Amino acid sequence: MNDPAIGATLVSSEELQVRIAELGAAITRDYEGRDLVMVGVLKGAVLFLADLMRHIDIPCEIDFMAVSSYGSQTDSSGVVRILKDLDASIQGRDVLIVEDIIDSGLTLQYLMRNLGARDPASLEVCSLLTKPERLRVDLPAKYVGFEIPDEFAIGYGLDHAQRYRNLDYVAALVH
Ligand code: IMP
Ligand code: MG
């Protein structure tokens, strides 16, 4: 796509696919014999979840949540509103939240508390990207694809004003 807002490549398509296969293999090993439900956080995690689940070789289900965090366009406030809740109960099940990116960590902290209160058997996080320099809460994500620098990332599900989700790699936004 020819667009001056699309900057340097942060993670190439090849790097994404290699790492996602590794994550899928790790999840397959760790969740063998358990009752895995992957919860994708709309909309950013859609491409990641779709590729990840193709590398998961045990029975699993998927469900989705949509949340919006109040705040400026590029900064999370930690005040989160649920726009779409899960379709099914997660009580007693092994829940893996699948996120596109952990920035401050505030959105995920809210989701962990909210889903944790529903009495799952276990609750873990798999995030494609993290920005360690920006993390404001103590949030151990069990599975992380890539650590990226403090840049606004677009592509492979990540948007800026709803655009660029269709890139098959992750780029820095030029702004
Ligand atoms: P947090 O609450 O600060 O961790 O932000 C979480 C949400 O903000 C993510 O799920 C993304 O939807 C969005 N976000 C944070 N950083 C970026 C970025 O670099 N590009 C695109 N979306 C981002
Ligand atoms: Mg998101």
Side-chain angles (χ1 to χ4, degrees), residues 7-57:
T9 298
L10 295 177
V11 188
S12 73
S13 170
E14 294 74 21
E15 290 170 317
L16 285 170
Q17 294 308 324
V18 167
R19 183 71 185 122
I20 290 168
E22 290 173 0
L23 291 172
I27 293 166
T28 299
R29 268 197 315 275
D30 295 350
Y31 285 87
E32 177 91 65
R34 294 167 70 188
D35 184 19
L36 175 60
V37 186
M38 295 196 287
V39 172
V41 184
L42 295 172
K43 306 170 187 158
V46 164
L47 277 71
F48 177 39
L49 177 61
D51 282 343
L52 180 64
M53 68 185 295
R54 280 178 257 220
H55 294 283
I56 293 183
D57 197 24

Side-chain angles (χ1 to χ4, degrees), residues 76 99-101 103-107 131 151-153 158-159:
S76 176
E99 253 287 26
D100 50 358
I101 188 164
D103 186 53
S104 68
L106 292 169
T107 303
K131 291 184 202 169
E151 304 239 27
F152 196 83
L158 291 111
D159 73 302

Side-chain angles (χ1 to χ4, degrees), residues 41-164:
V41 184
L42 295 172
K43 306 170 187 158
V46 164
L47 277 71
F48 177 39
L49 177 61
D51 282 343
L52 180 64
M53 68 185 295
R54 280 178 257 220
H55 294 283
I56 293 183
D57 197 24
I58 51 170
C60 68
E61 294 180 19
I62 58 169
D63 205 338
F64 292 96
M65 282 188 86
V67 297
S68 94
S69 82
Y70 292 111
S72 72
Q73 234 188 353
T74 54
D75 265 303
S76 176
S77 63
V79 183
V80 173
R81 190 162 54 111
I82 294 181
L83 304 176
K84 185 224 170 287
D85 206 341
L86 297 176
D87 290 339
S89 167
I90 55 168
Q91 189 176 13
R93 310 199 63 190
D94 293 291
V95 177
L96 182 61
I97 300 175
V98 179
E99 253 287 26
D100 50 358
I101 188 164
I102 303 173
D103 186 53
S104 68
L106 292 169
T107 303
L108 213 44
Q109 186 181 56
Y110 170 86
L111 271 179
M112 292 287 282
R113 285 195 186 135
N114 185 289
L115 297 186
R118 304 183 196 192
D119 202 20
S122 66
L123 181 60
E124 300 288 353
V125 173
C126 176
S127 183
L128 179 65
L129 307 172
T130 59
K131 291 184 202 169
E133 291 164 54
R134 299 258 307 172
L135 199 60
R136 283 166 55 189
V137 296
D138 182 27
L139 201 112
K142 185 162 186 192
Y143 308 95
V144 170
F146 300 89
E147 296 189 344
I148 61 166
D150 183 9
E151 304 239 27
F152 196 83
I154 53 172
Y156 198 69
L158 291 111
D159 73 302
H160 177 252
Q162 299 303 325
R163 304 285 291 272
Y164 309 114

